[in-house]
Amino acid sequence: MTVDPAATRLRHQVPLAVWLVVVWMLLWGTWSWANLLSGLVVALVVLVLLPLPHVVGGVRVRPAPLLAFLGHFVVDLFLSGAEVAWQALRPRGVHRTAIIQVQLRADSDLLLTMVAEATSLVPGSLVLDLDREQRLMTLHLLPVRDRADVERKRANVLVVEERLVRAFGSAEDVAALDHARAGVTAP
């Protein structure tokens, strides 16, 4: 059985078109047939003029790990936001910051991007660089109290990576993560 490339492309483009229309509707702030149809036209123009490359490996969503990631992510947002706000408002200001590198284990462009985005969205951490070839992420952290705090924050990035791999990674990605955690190089 051969896979029709047009059918595969359509299967990937339809959800993106729906998402673009939803965003268009949210930007306008009101629902109307005119907004729906104009959003559909804009989505089709964007998809035709700016085609995205196919993501190798695809995405598999696992609901339970996704909920675990989202729950921890929301808690991280609130706790880190409060900590950064306190640092900004207190009379002494921010005392220490750090620039660190974290060796990631995921080898998927999509997963590496998701880890970088999730890390940057949390207040107090900013991704400065992501070396795709080395899977090395450089971060700016604030505030940091001591070396142990830096190591905790480095370990937290790896925990975020693990949660995202378990929520969205392929079976091969999850197996490679398990091998890396066990200290074994994946085949």
Side-chain angles (χ1 to χ4, degrees), residues 13-65:
Q13 296 293 341
V14 169
L16 181 56
V18 169
W19 175 248
L20 289 171
V21 171
V22 168
V23 169
W24 181 262
M25 296 292 286
L26 291 173
L27 288 172
W28 279 102
T30 58
W31 190 94
S32 71
W33 286 105
N35 285 345
L36 179 68
L37 293 175
S38 63
L40 187 57
V41 168
V42 168
L44 292 174
V45 167
V46 166
L47 291 175
V48 169
L49 295 179
L50 305 169
L52 294 173
H54 176 65
V55 176
V56 177
V59 174
R60 177 183 170 149
V61 178
R62 294 176 188 86

Side-chain angles (χ1 to χ4, degrees), residues 43-123:
L44 292 174
V45 167
V46 166
L47 291 175
V48 169
L49 295 179
L50 305 169
L52 294 173
H54 176 65
V55 176
V56 177
V59 174
R60 177 183 170 149
V61 178
R62 294 176 188 86
L66 176 59
L67 289 174
F69 165 74
L70 290 174
H72 285 91
F73 182 71
V74 169
V75 170
D76 284 347
L77 284 176
F78 284 113
L79 294 178
S80 296
E83 183 178 24
V84 170
W86 168 246
Q87 292 289 318
L89 295 176
R90 73 183 191 160
R92 296 184 321 207
V94 176
H95 281 287
R96 293 186 187 153
T97 64
I99 295 178
I100 65 167
Q101 291 186 319
V102 180
Q103 181 67 53
L104 299 175
R105 299 156 297 187
D107 196 27
S108 159
D109 289 339
L110 181 61
L111 290 172
L112 290 171
T113 302
M114 292 172 86
V115 172
E117 292 298 325
T119 303
S120 276
L121 287 172
V122 174

